[in-house]
Amino acid sequence: TWSRPARVWATATPIVLDRQPRRSLTAEQSISDSVTALGLPAPVHLEVSRYSPIKGVPRSNGFRLRKPGRLYTHAVIEFAQPIAGPLLIGAERYFGLGLCRPMGGQ
């Protein structure tokens, strides 16, 4: 489930933003930059929300960070071509956050 190729990925745990949004940087752009920094292609569509589309996943503020103060959010990320997983994105990806699950078919 977690490693199959898919065009659309959704967060099972929220993404902690690498860079904080400001006037010239949106949360979507920060996540897109994180994705491309991992060597993946830039997303063609990205949507952030407090809620994950995965059934049973708590909203983003239901998760606690190791170091409070950073912004974090759920996201749905769409690529132009299928990407194989597992997909871990964001500042705390090595600590269980930013885990994405493939959605739908290819």
Side-chain angles (χ1 to χ4, degrees):
T1 297
W2 300 94
S3 61
R4 70 178 168 85
R7 288 185 57 239
V8 179
W9 291 79
T11 54
T13 59
I15 296 171
V16 179
L17 303 182
D18 287 329
R19 297 185 301 154
Q20 301 301 335
R22 52 186 182 277
R23 191 177 305 177
S24 62
L25 179 71
T26 64
E28 291 86 355
Q29 186 61 48
S30 179
I31 293 170
S32 181
D33 292 347
S34 296
V35 168
T36 56
L38 293 172
L40 298 169
V44 294
H45 181 71
L46 199 145
E47 185 177 322
V48 298
S49 173
R50 288 187 295 175
Y51 303 95
S52 172
I54 302 170
K55 185 177 180 179
V57 173
R59 61 184 185 194
S60 59
N61 65 358
F63 291 83
R64 296 293 169 238
L65 302 181
R66 287 181 328 111
K67 297 178 182 178
R70 301 200 71 173
L71 296 179
Y72 54 109
T73 183
H74 281 295
V76 176
I77 305 166
E78 182 179 350
F79 296 97
Q81 69 273 356
I83 302 295
L87 196 58
L88 293 159
I89 302 169
E92 293 201 16
R93 65 185 174 274
Y94 300 114
F95 301 99
L97 295 176
L99 176 63
C100 299
R101 179 187 173 136
M103 300 298 291
Q106 292 185 10

